[in-house]
Every structure is written in C-alpha cells, then in structure tokens.
Coordinates of all heavy atoms in Angstrom, one line a residue:
M1 N 111.7 12.9 -64.3 CA 111.0 12.3 -63.3 C 111.2 10.8 -63.3 O 111.2 10.2 -64.3 CB 109.4 12.5 -63.5 CG 108.6 12.1 -62.4 SD 106.8 12.2 -62.7 CE 106.6 14.0 -62.8
R2 N 111.4 10.3 -62.1 CA 111.7 8.8 -61.9 C 110.4 8.1 -61.9 O 109.3 8.6 -61.6 CB 112.4 8.6 -60.6 CG 113.8 9.3 -60.5 CD 114.4 9.0 -59.2 NE 113.5 8.8 -58.1 CZ 113.7 9.1 -56.9 NH1 114.9 9.5 -56.5 NH2 112.8 8.9 -56.0
D3 N 110.5 6.8 -62.2 CA 109.3 5.9 -62.2 C 108.7 5.8 -60.8 O 107.5 5.7 -60.7 CB 109.6 4.5 -62.7 CG 109.9 4.5 -64.2 OD1 109.4 5.4 -64.9 OD2 110.6 3.6 -64.7
T4 N 109.5 5.8 -59.8 CA 109.0 5.6 -58.5 C 108.2 6.9 -58.0 O 107.5 6.8 -57.0 CB 110.2 5.4 -57.5 OG1 111.1 6.5 -57.6 CG2 110.8 4.1 -57.7
D5 N 108.3 8.0 -58.6 CA 107.6 9.2 -58.3 C 106.1 9.1 -58.5 O 105.3 9.7 -57.8 CB 108.1 10.5 -59.0 CG 109.5 10.8 -58.7 OD1 110.0 10.5 -57.6 OD2 110.2 11.5 -59.5
N6 N 105.7 8.2 -59.4 CA 104.3 8.0 -59.7 C 103.7 6.8 -59.0 O 102.5 6.5 -59.3 CB 104.1 7.9 -61.2 CG 104.4 9.2 -61.9 OD1 104.2 10.3 -61.3 ND2 105.0 9.2 -63.1
Q7 N 104.4 6.1 -58.2 CA 103.9 4.8 -57.6 C 103.4 5.1 -56.2 O 103.9 5.9 -55.4 CB 105.0 3.8 -57.6 CG 105.4 3.4 -59.0 CD 106.5 2.3 -59.0 OE1 107.0 1.9 -57.9 NE2 106.8 1.8 -60.1
F8 N 102.4 4.3 -55.8 CA 101.9 4.4 -54.5 C 102.6 3.4 -53.6 O 103.0 2.4 -54.0 CB 100.4 4.0 -54.5 CG 99.5 5.0 -55.1 CD1 98.9 4.7 -56.4 CD2 99.1 6.1 -54.4 CE1 98.1 5.6 -56.9 CE2 98.3 7.1 -55.0 CZ 97.7 6.8 -56.3
D9 N 102.8 3.8 -52.3 CA 103.4 2.9 -51.4 C 102.3 1.8 -51.0 O 101.3 2.1 -50.5 CB 103.7 3.6 -50.1 CG 104.4 2.8 -49.0 OD1 104.6 1.6 -49.3 OD2 104.7 3.3 -48.0
P10 N 102.6 0.5 -51.4 CA 101.6 -0.5 -51.2 C 101.3 -0.8 -49.7 O 100.3 -1.4 -49.5 CB 102.3 -1.8 -51.9 CG 103.7 -1.4 -51.9 CD 103.8 0.1 -52.0
K11 N 102.1 -0.4 -48.8 CA 101.9 -0.6 -47.4 C 100.9 0.5 -46.9 O 100.3 0.3 -45.8 CB 103.2 -0.5 -46.6 CG 104.1 -1.7 -46.9 CD 105.3 -1.7 -46.0 CE 106.2 -2.9 -46.3 NZ 107.4 -2.9 -45.5
K12 N 100.7 1.6 -47.6 CA 99.9 2.6 -47.2 C 98.5 2.7 -47.9 O 97.5 3.3 -47.4 CB 100.6 3.9 -47.4 CG 100.0 5.1 -46.8 CD 100.9 6.3 -46.9 CE 100.3 7.5 -46.2 NZ 101.1 8.7 -46.3
Y13 N 98.3 2.0 -49.0 CA 97.1 2.0 -49.8 C 96.6 0.6 -49.9 O 97.3 -0.4 -50.0 CB 97.4 2.6 -51.1 CG 97.7 4.1 -51.1 CD1 99.0 4.5 -50.9 CD2 96.7 5.0 -51.2 CE1 99.3 5.9 -50.8 CE2 97.0 6.4 -51.1 CZ 98.3 6.8 -50.9 OH 98.6 8.1 -50.9
F14 N 95.2 0.5 -50.1 CA 94.6 -0.8 -50.3 C 93.4 -0.6 -51.2 O 92.6 0.3 -51.0 CB 94.2 -1.4 -48.9 CG 93.7 -2.8 -49.1 CD1 94.6 -3.8 -49.1 CD2 92.4 -3.1 -49.2 CE1 94.2 -5.2 -49.2 CE2 91.9 -4.4 -49.4 CZ 92.8 -5.5 -49.4
R15 N 93.2 -1.5 -52.1 CA 92.1 -1.5 -53.0 C 91.0 -2.4 -52.3 O 91.1 -3.6 -52.3 CB 92.4 -2.1 -54.4 CG 91.2 -2.0 -55.3 CD 91.5 -2.3 -56.8 NE 92.4 -1.3 -57.3 CZ 92.1 0.0 -57.6 NH1 90.8 0.4 -57.5 NH2 93.0 0.8 -58.2
C16 N 90.0 -1.7 -51.8 CA 89.0 -2.4 -51.0 C 87.9 -3.0 -51.8 O 87.1 -3.9 -51.4 CB 88.4 -1.5 -49.9 SG 87.7 0.0 -50.5
N17 N 87.7 -2.5 -53.1 CA 86.8 -3.1 -54.0 C 87.2 -2.6 -55.4 O 88.2 -1.9 -55.5 CB 85.3 -2.7 -53.7 CG 85.0 -1.2 -53.7 OD1 85.5 -0.5 -54.5 ND2 84.3 -0.8 -52.7
R18 N 86.4 -2.9 -56.4 CA 86.8 -2.5 -57.8 C 86.9 -1.0 -58.0 O 87.6 -0.6 -58.9 CB 85.8 -3.1 -58.8 CG 86.0 -4.6 -58.9 CD 84.9 -5.2 -59.8 NE 84.6 -4.4 -61.0 CZ 83.9 -4.8 -62.0 NH1 83.3 -5.9 -62.0 NH2 83.6 -3.9 -63.0
C19 N 86.2 -0.2 -57.2 CA 86.1 1.2 -57.4 C 87.0 2.0 -56.6 O 87.3 3.2 -56.9 CB 84.7 1.7 -57.2 SG 83.5 0.9 -58.3
Y20 N 87.4 1.6 -55.4 CA 88.1 2.4 -54.5 C 89.5 1.9 -54.1 O 89.7 0.7 -53.7 CB 87.3 2.6 -53.2 CG 86.0 3.4 -53.5 CD1 84.8 2.8 -53.6 CD2 86.1 4.8 -53.5 CE1 83.7 3.5 -53.9 CE2 84.9 5.5 -53.8 CZ 83.7 4.9 -53.9 OH 82.6 5.6 -54.2
L21 N 90.5 2.8 -54.1 CA 91.8 2.6 -53.5 C 91.8 3.5 -52.3 O 91.6 4.7 -52.4 CB 92.9 3.0 -54.6 CG 94.3 2.9 -54.1 CD1 94.6 1.4 -54.0 CD2 95.2 3.5 -55.2
V22 N 92.1 2.9 -51.2 CA 92.0 3.7 -49.9 C 93.4 3.9 -49.3 O 94.2 3.0 -49.2 CB 91.1 2.9 -48.9 CG1 91.0 3.5 -47.6 CG2 89.7 2.7 -49.5
N23 N 93.6 5.1 -48.8 CA 94.7 5.4 -48.1 C 94.5 5.0 -46.6 O 93.6 5.5 -46.0 CB 95.0 6.9 -48.1 CG 96.3 7.3 -47.4 OD1 96.7 6.6 -46.5 ND2 96.9 8.4 -47.8
L24 N 95.2 4.0 -46.1 CA 94.9 3.5 -44.8 C 95.0 4.5 -43.7 O 94.5 4.3 -42.6 CB 95.8 2.2 -44.6 CG 95.6 1.1 -45.5 CD1 96.7 0.0 -45.3 CD2 94.2 0.5 -45.4
E25 N 95.8 5.5 -43.9 CA 96.0 6.6 -42.9 C 94.6 7.3 -42.6 O 94.4 7.8 -41.5 CB 96.9 7.6 -43.5 CG 97.3 8.7 -42.5 CD 98.3 9.7 -43.1 OE1 98.9 9.4 -44.2 OE2 98.5 10.7 -42.5
F26 N 93.7 7.3 -43.5 CA 92.4 8.0 -43.4 C 91.2 7.1 -43.0 O 90.1 7.6 -42.9 CB 92.1 8.8 -44.6 CG 93.1 9.9 -44.9 CD1 94.1 9.7 -45.8 CD2 93.0 11.1 -44.2 CE1 95.0 10.7 -46.0 CE2 93.9 12.1 -44.4 CZ 94.9 11.9 -45.3
V27 N 91.5 5.8 -42.7 CA 90.4 4.9 -42.3 C 90.1 5.3 -40.9 O 90.9 5.3 -40.0 CB 90.8 3.5 -42.4 CG1 89.8 2.5 -41.8 CG2 91.1 3.1 -43.8
E28 N 88.8 5.7 -40.6 CA 88.3 6.1 -39.3 C 87.8 4.9 -38.5 O 88.0 4.8 -37.4 CB 87.3 7.2 -39.5 CG 87.9 8.4 -40.1 CD 86.8 9.4 -40.6 OE1 85.6 9.1 -40.4 OE2 87.2 10.4 -41.2
T29 N 86.9 4.1 -39.1 CA 86.3 3.0 -38.5 C 86.1 1.8 -39.5 O 86.1 2.0 -40.7 CB 84.9 3.3 -37.9 OG1 84.0 3.7 -39.0 CG2 85.0 4.4 -36.9
Y30 N 86.0 0.6 -38.9 CA 85.7 -0.5 -39.7 C 84.6 -1.3 -39.0 O 84.7 -1.6 -37.8 CB 86.9 -1.4 -39.9 CG 86.6 -2.7 -40.6 CD1 86.5 -2.8 -41.9 CD2 86.4 -3.9 -39.9 CE1 86.2 -4.0 -42.6 CE2 86.2 -5.1 -40.5 CZ 86.0 -5.1 -41.9 OH 85.7 -6.3 -42.5
Q31 N 83.5 -1.6 -39.6 CA 82.4 -2.4 -39.0 C 81.7 -3.2 -40.0 O 81.2 -2.7 -41.1 CB 81.4 -1.4 -38.4 CG 80.3 -2.1 -37.6 CD 79.4 -1.2 -36.9 OE1 79.5 0.0 -37.0 NE2 78.5 -1.7 -36.1
G32 N 81.8 -4.6 -39.8 CA 81.2 -5.5 -40.8 C 82.0 -5.5 -42.1 O 83.2 -5.9 -42.1
S33 N 81.4 -5.0 -43.1 CA 82.0 -4.9 -44.4 C 82.2 -3.5 -44.8 O 82.5 -3.2 -46.0 CB 81.3 -5.7 -45.5 OG 80.0 -5.1 -45.7
D34 N 82.0 -2.5 -43.9 CA 82.1 -1.1 -44.3 C 83.2 -0.4 -43.5 O 83.5 -0.7 -42.4 CB 80.7 -0.4 -43.9 CG 79.6 -0.9 -44.7 OD1 79.8 -1.3 -45.9 OD2 78.4 -0.8 -44.2
I35 N 83.8 0.5 -44.2 CA 84.8 1.3 -43.6 C 84.4 2.8 -43.7 O 83.7 3.1 -44.7 CB 86.2 1.2 -44.1 CG1 86.3 1.4 -45.6 CG2 86.8 -0.3 -43.8 CD1 87.7 1.4 -46.2
M36 N 84.8 3.6 -42.8 CA 84.5 5.1 -42.9 C 85.8 5.7 -43.2 O 86.8 5.5 -42.5 CB 84.0 5.6 -41.5 CG 83.6 7.0 -41.5 SD 82.1 7.5 -42.4 CE 80.9 6.7 -41.4
V37 N 85.9 6.5 -44.3 CA 87.1 7.2 -44.8 C 86.7 8.6 -45.0 O 85.9 8.9 -45.9 CB 87.7 6.5 -46.1 CG1 88.8 7.3 -46.5 CG2 88.0 5.0 -45.8
N38 N 87.3 9.5 -44.2 CA 87.0 10.9 -44.4 C 85.5 11.2 -44.5 O 85.1 12.1 -45.3 CB 87.8 11.4 -45.6 CG 88.1 12.8 -45.6 OD1 88.1 13.4 -44.6 ND2 88.2 13.4 -46.8
G39 N 84.7 10.6 -43.6 CA 83.3 10.8 -43.6 C 82.5 10.1 -44.6 O 81.3 10.1 -44.5
D40 N 83.1 9.3 -45.4 CA 82.4 8.5 -46.4 C 82.4 7.1 -46.1 O 83.4 6.6 -45.6 CB 83.0 8.7 -47.8 CG 82.8 10.1 -48.4 OD1 81.7 10.7 -48.1 OD2 83.7 10.6 -49.0
T41 N 81.3 6.4 -46.3 CA 81.2 4.9 -46.1 C 81.6 4.2 -47.4 O 81.0 4.5 -48.4 CB 79.8 4.5 -45.6 OG1 79.6 5.2 -44.4 CG2 79.8 3.0 -45.3
I42 N 82.5 3.3 -47.3 CA 82.9 2.5 -48.4 C 82.8 1.0 -48.0 O 83.3 0.6 -47.0 CB 84.4 2.9 -48.8 CG1 84.5 4.3 -49.2 CG2 84.9 2.0 -50.0 CD1 85.9 4.8 -49.5
Q43 N 82.3 0.2 -48.9 CA 82.2 -1.2 -48.7 C 83.4 -1.9 -49.1 O 83.9 -1.7 -50.2 CB 81.0 -1.8 -49.4 CG 80.6 -3.2 -49.0 CD 79.3 -3.6 -49.6 OE1 78.9 -3.2 -50.7 NE2 78.6 -4.5 -48.9
V44 N 83.9 -2.8 -48.3 CA 85.0 -3.7 -48.6 C 84.4 -5.0 -49.2 O 83.5 -5.6 -48.6 CB 85.9 -4.0 -47.4 CG1 87.0 -5.0 -47.7 CG2 86.4 -2.8 -46.7
S45 N 84.9 -5.4 -50.4 CA 84.3 -6.6 -51.0 C 84.6 -7.8 -50.1 O 85.5 -7.9 -49.3 CB 84.9 -6.8 -52.4 OG 86.2 -7.2 -52.3
R46 N 83.7 -8.7 -50.2 CA 83.8 -10.0 -49.4 C 85.2 -10.7 -49.6 O 85.7 -11.1 -48.6 CB 82.7 -10.9 -49.8 CG 82.3 -11.9 -48.8 CD 81.1 -12.7 -49.2 NE 80.1 -11.9 -49.9 CZ 79.2 -12.4 -50.7 NH1 79.0 -13.7 -50.8 NH2 78.3 -11.6 -51.3
S47 N 85.6 -10.7 -50.8 CA 86.9 -11.4 -51.0 C 88.1 -10.6 -50.5 O 89.2 -11.2 -50.4 CB 87.1 -11.8 -52.5 OG 87.2 -10.5 -53.2
R48 N 87.9 -9.4 -50.2 CA 89.1 -8.6 -49.8 C 89.0 -8.2 -48.3 O 89.9 -7.4 -47.8 CB 89.1 -7.3 -50.6 CG 89.4 -7.6 -52.1 CD 89.5 -6.4 -53.0 NE 89.7 -6.9 -54.3 CZ 89.8 -6.1 -55.4 NH1 89.8 -4.8 -55.2 NH2 89.9 -6.6 -56.6
R49 N 88.0 -8.7 -47.6 CA 87.9 -8.3 -46.1 C 89.1 -8.8 -45.3 O 89.7 -7.9 -44.6 CB 86.7 -8.9 -45.5 CG 85.4 -8.2 -45.9 CD 84.2 -8.8 -45.2 NE 83.0 -8.4 -46.0 CZ 81.9 -9.0 -46.0 NH1 81.8 -10.1 -45.3 NH2 80.9 -8.6 -46.7
K50 N 89.5 -10.0 -45.4 CA 90.6 -10.5 -44.6 C 91.9 -9.8 -45.1 O 92.7 -9.3 -44.2 CB 90.8 -12.0 -44.7 CG 92.0 -12.5 -43.9 CD 92.0 -13.9 -43.6 CE 93.1 -14.4 -42.8 NZ 94.1 -13.5 -42.3
P51 N 92.2 -9.7 -46.4 CA 93.4 -9.0 -46.8 C 93.4 -7.5 -46.4 O 94.4 -7.0 -46.0 CB 93.4 -9.1 -48.3 CG 92.7 -10.3 -48.6 CD 91.6 -10.4 -47.5
F52 N 92.2 -6.9 -46.3 CA 92.1 -5.5 -45.9 C 92.5 -5.4 -44.4 O 93.2 -4.6 -44.0 CB 90.7 -5.0 -46.1 CG 90.5 -3.6 -45.4 CD1 91.0 -2.5 -46.0 CD2 89.8 -3.5 -44.2 CE1 90.9 -1.3 -45.4 CE2 89.7 -2.3 -43.6 CZ 90.2 -1.2 -44.2
L53 N 91.9 -6.3 -43.6 CA 92.2 -6.3 -42.2 C 93.7 -6.5 -41.9 O 94.3 -5.9 -41.0 CB 91.3 -7.3 -41.4 CG 89.8 -6.9 -41.3 CD1 89.1 -8.1 -40.7 CD2 89.7 -5.6 -40.5
D54 N 94.3 -7.5 -42.7 CA 95.7 -7.7 -42.5 C 96.5 -6.5 -42.9 O 97.5 -6.1 -42.2 CB 96.1 -8.9 -43.4 CG 95.5 -10.2 -42.9 OD1 95.1 -10.3 -41.8 OD2 95.5 -11.2 -43.7
A55 N 96.1 -5.8 -43.9 CA 96.9 -4.6 -44.4 C 96.7 -3.5 -43.4 O 97.7 -2.8 -43.1 CB 96.4 -4.2 -45.8
L56 N 95.5 -3.3 -42.9 CA 95.2 -2.3 -41.9 C 96.0 -2.5 -40.6 O 96.6 -1.6 -40.0 CB 93.7 -2.1 -41.6 CG 93.3 -1.0 -40.7 CD1 93.7 0.4 -41.3 CD2 91.8 -1.1 -40.4
N57 N 96.0 -3.8 -40.2 CA 96.7 -4.2 -39.0 C 98.2 -3.9 -39.2 O 98.9 -3.4 -38.3 CB 96.5 -5.6 -38.6 CG 97.0 -6.0 -37.3 OD1 97.1 -5.2 -36.4 ND2 97.5 -7.3 -37.2
E58 N 98.8 -4.3 -40.3 CA 100.2 -4.1 -40.6 C 100.5 -2.6 -40.6 O 101.5 -2.2 -40.1 CB 100.6 -4.8 -41.9 CG 102.1 -4.7 -42.2 CD 102.4 -5.4 -43.5 OE1 101.8 -6.5 -43.7 OE2 103.3 -4.9 -44.2
Y59 N 99.7 -1.8 -41.2 CA 99.9 -0.4 -41.3 C 99.9 0.2 -39.9 O 100.7 1.1 -39.6 CB 98.8 0.3 -42.2 CG 98.9 1.8 -42.1 CD1 99.9 2.5 -42.9 CD2 98.1 2.5 -41.4 CE1 100.0 3.8 -42.8 CE2 98.1 3.9 -41.3 CZ 99.2 4.6 -42.1 OH 99.3 5.9 -42.0
M60 N 98.9 -0.2 -39.1 CA 98.8 0.4 -37.7 C 100.0 0.0 -36.9 O 100.5 0.8 -36.1 CB 97.5 -0.1 -37.1 CG 96.3 0.4 -37.7 SD 96.2 2.2 -37.9 CE 95.7 2.6 -36.2
N61 N 100.5 -1.2 -37.1 CA 101.7 -1.6 -36.4 C 102.9 -0.8 -36.8 O 103.8 -0.5 -36.0 CB 102.0 -3.1 -36.5 CG 101.0 -3.9 -35.8 OD1 100.5 -3.5 -34.7 ND2 100.7 -5.1 -36.2
E62 N 103.0 -0.4 -38.1 CA 104.2 0.4 -38.6 C 104.1 1.8 -38.0 O 105.1 2.4 -37.7 CB 104.1 0.4 -40.1 CG 104.6 -0.9 -40.7 CD 106.0 -1.3 -40.4 OE1 106.9 -0.4 -40.4 OE2 106.3 -2.5 -40.2
V63 N 102.9 2.3 -37.9 CA 102.7 3.7 -37.4 C 103.1 3.8 -36.0 O 103.7 4.8 -35.6 CB 101.2 4.1 -37.6 CG1 101.0 5.5 -36.9 CG2 100.9 4.3 -39.1
E64 N 102.9 2.8 -35.2 CA 103.2 2.8 -33.8 C 104.7 2.8 -33.5 O 105.1 3.2 -32.4 CB 102.5 1.6 -33.1 CG 101.0 1.6 -33.0 CD 100.4 0.4 -32.4 OE1 101.2 -0.5 -32.0 OE2 99.2 0.3 -32.3
K65 N 105.5 2.3 -34.4 CA 106.9 2.2 -34.2 C 107.6 3.6 -34.2 O 107.3 4.6 -34.7 CB 107.6 1.4 -35.3 CG 107.2 -0.1 -35.2 CD 107.9 -0.9 -36.3 CE 107.5 -2.3 -36.1 NZ 108.1 -3.1 -37.1

C-alpha cells in the first residue's frame, strides 16, 4: 500500500473545529457559524470561518469545471 492511499485530498476536506473533519461535498447549507452536513448541524469555529468559506468556495468552483 502506498502512503498516498491513506491521505485525504485537502481540497475536498476541511477541519471546521477541533472535533470534525468535513467532506465539503456533503455540506448542504451554511448559516452564521453553523453548517448542515448530512442532516447534522456542525459549528465552524470562529477562527476557521473565513478559511472554511474560502475552502468551500474553491471546492464549489472546482466542481463546476
């Protein structure tokens, strides 16, 4: 098994707080500091809001191509 087999694609995943690593493909909504992922509400930490929005925007732009 290669090392890359166990790694996450950093463009597809984002750590929104200390507890959760989120697959951006499954983000349903974003409102305030909360995101809805697969029916569950997860809070994005204050310090990671802007980086999260940047990552989500970049991911969405890649999907559109």
Side-chain angles (χ1 to χ4, degrees):
M1 185 183 297
R2 298 180 328 208
D3 288 336
T4 57
D5 292 339
N6 293 325
Q7 294 180 355
F8 290 105
D9 180 0
K11 292 183 180 181
K12 193 172 181 181
Y13 292 88
F14 188 84
R15 181 165 301 283
C16 57
N17 60 42
R18 288 175 38 173
C19 299
Y20 293 98
L21 180 67
V22 173
N23 183 335
L24 296 173
E25 182 177 352
F26 294 98
V27 173
E28 299 165 1
T29 62
Y30 175 79
Q31 185 173 5
S33 63
D34 296 331
I35 58 173
M36 181 75 67
V37 179
N38 204 23
D40 295 321
T41 302
I42 299 172
Q43 189 173 32
V44 179
S45 70
R46 202 174 323 161
S47 64
R48 296 181 186 182
R49 283 184 202 155
K50 181 167 179 359
F52 171 77
L53 290 175
D54 292 342
L56 184 61
N57 188 35
E58 184 176 324
Y59 174 77
M60 297 303 285
N61 287 333
E62 288 294 319
V63 170
E64 291 177 0
K65 290 181 181 178

